Amino acid sequence: MKKNVFRLTLLSVMVLLTATVMLSGCTNVKKRANTADTWSMIKQRNKVIIGLDDSFVPMGFREKNGQLVGYDIDLARAVFKKYGIKVDFQTIDWSMKETELRNGTIDLIWNGYTKSPARAKTVAFSNTYLKNEQILVTKKKEQIKQAADMQGKVLGLQSGSSGYQSYVDTPKLLKQYVKSSVQYDTFNDAFLDLNAGRIQGLLIDSVYANYYIKHQNDSASYREMPIGFPKEDFAVGMRKGDKTLRLKINNALHELYQEQTMKSISEKWFGVDNSVDDK
């Protein structure tokens, strides 16, 4: 009996010690993310690591040959070219982006990343460089012309996206009408289900929807509609401790805007100048 009691006590102590170590580790990671300025380390290794969803057209995506292209790809390279620093793009699970950033797997989140109060609790943002909004995309054959027409329908959303958060936070705009929702890892998968009729609506970034639909053979079969969600600001996400990195990015964005490089990149990917100078 005494041996069993001893074993149970020892096991309890080991579990408690393990939990304490894990909690301490999490606290140290969070503290480091909030206080460490990594600019000198980035300069020394001559590389900055950017996390992205590589299927988010036209911000950052892979062409059929596997080459990574897009608006944010061009802009990020232009920013760090000013400092002679190489850019390494790393594909990540978009729903885990803040965790990847905090843990140091990546240095930046730069892929149509929307500023929000919830994200600002754990992430520092650069100045805004592009405007966006969440819109509802449907197939015209479904005869959905307003949010209320989604009554009893199935909606698609990207998990971890600002659109999903807006959908949850402002239920009176769309959620109150929807029968059920499906979350997708990528918008590509969501469009496949929309085209097949497995979902009847898709809440999506306007920049993605406009580019995707424009490049479809049956582009006239889609309907795009704003339904009242507030306009969004695209910015670069970084750890709160990276104050120098934030300053460097903001200064470069301002210079690129003044030099009209941002204008050229915008016209290349959107056909119009959507660039913003937030300094």
Side-chain angles (χ1 to χ4, degrees):
M1 181 70 178
K2 288 183 179 179
K3 286 184 177 179
N4 289 338
V5 171
F6 176 76
R7 287 172 181 168
L8 286 172
T9 303
L10 181 60
L11 180 61
S12 298
V13 171
M14 291 175 66
V15 170
L16 182 61
L17 285 172
T18 301
T20 301
V21 170
M22 290 177 65
L23 182 61
S24 175
C26 291
T27 301
N28 289 338
V29 168
K30 184 177 180 181
K31 182 178 180 182
R32 185 168 62 249
N34 288 335
T35 58
D37 190 321
T38 65
W39 177 249
S40 58
M41 182 184 71
I42 290 171
K43 280 185 65 180
Q44 185 175 6
R45 74 182 182 208
N46 195 36
K47 181 174 70 176
V48 63
I49 303 171
I50 294 177
L52 81 163
D53 163 13
D54 64 358
S55 65
F56 188 11
V57 298
M59 308 308 289
F61 64 101
R62 295 194 184 277
E63 295 185 314
K64 291 181 180 179
N65 62 6
Q67 183 180 359
L68 191 62
V69 297
Y71 177 93
D72 279 335
I73 306 302
D74 288 350
L75 186 58
R77 285 173 173 158
V79 163
F80 286 102
K81 183 179 180 181
K82 288 185 171 290
Y83 304 111
I85 293 174
K86 298 176 182 178
V87 182
D88 183 12
F89 296 97
Q90 183 168 311
T91 303
I92 59 173
D93 179 343
W94 195 243
S95 65
M96 296 293 291
K97 53 193 174 299
E98 287 85 7
T99 301
E100 297 273 15
L101 180 68
R102 182 191 63 203
N103 291 346
T105 310
I106 59 175
D107 300 310
L108 298 169
I109 303 171
W110 195 335
N111 190 211
Y113 189 50
T114 301
K115 290 182 179 180
S116 75
R119 288 172 173 172
K121 292 178 182 179
T122 57
V123 174
F125 291 105
S126 71
N127 291 340
T128 300
Y129 64 84
L130 198 69
K131 295 288 185 179
N132 179 56
E133 66 177 321
Q134 296 297 320
I135 62 173
L136 179 65
V137 174
T138 66
K139 298 290 283 188
K140 288 181 180 177
K141 65 182 181 181
E142 298 289 348
Q143 295 299 311
I144 297 169
K145 300 179 181 179
Q146 57 184 346
D149 293 335
M150 283 294 294
Q151 188 77 47
K153 308 289 187 182
V154 182
L155 178 75
L157 303 142
Q158 185 187 33
S159 58
S161 66
S162 59
Y164 174 79
Q165 198 61 51
S166 296
Y167 173 73
V168 172
D169 291 344
T170 51
K172 290 185 178 180
L173 284 177
L174 183 58
K175 193 173 187 292
Q176 64 170 326
Y177 305 114
V178 173
K179 175 185 177 181
S180 62
S181 62
V182 181
Q183 294 186 51
Y184 297 89
D185 291 335
T186 71
F187 283 128
N188 279 354
D189 293 337
F191 263 110
L192 289 174
D193 275 6
L194 181 69
N195 295 335
R198 288 185 284 268
I199 60 175
Q200 290 73 56
L202 175 58
L203 188 63
I204 184 172
D205 300 85
S206 60
V207 293
Y208 188 113
N210 293 339
Y211 187 91
Y212 178 94
I213 292 171
K214 181 181 177 182
H215 288 79
Q216 299 306 300
N217 293 330
D218 61 342
S219 58
S221 69
Y222 295 90
R223 177 175 284 116
E224 303 174 64
M225 64 195 91
I227 52 176
F229 288 107
K231 294 288 179 67
E232 299 177 347
D233 293 339
F234 278 173
V236 186
M238 64 203 80
R239 291 178 288 270
K240 287 182 177 290
D242 276 319
K243 293 180 171 57
T244 304
L245 180 59
R246 182 174 183 271
L247 180 63
K248 296 290 185 181
I249 291 173
N250 284 341
N251 287 343
L253 287 173
H254 177 64
E255 290 176 9
L256 291 170
Y257 183 89
Q258 296 288 353
E259 297 163 3
Q260 297 201 344
T261 302
M262 286 179 70
K263 177 177 182 291
S264 298
I265 296 173
S266 182
E267 288 176 344
K268 172 184 175 181
W269 291 105
F270 305 120
V272 295
D273 180 15
N274 289 334
S275 55
V276 175
D277 186 16
D278 196 25
K279 188 164 185 178

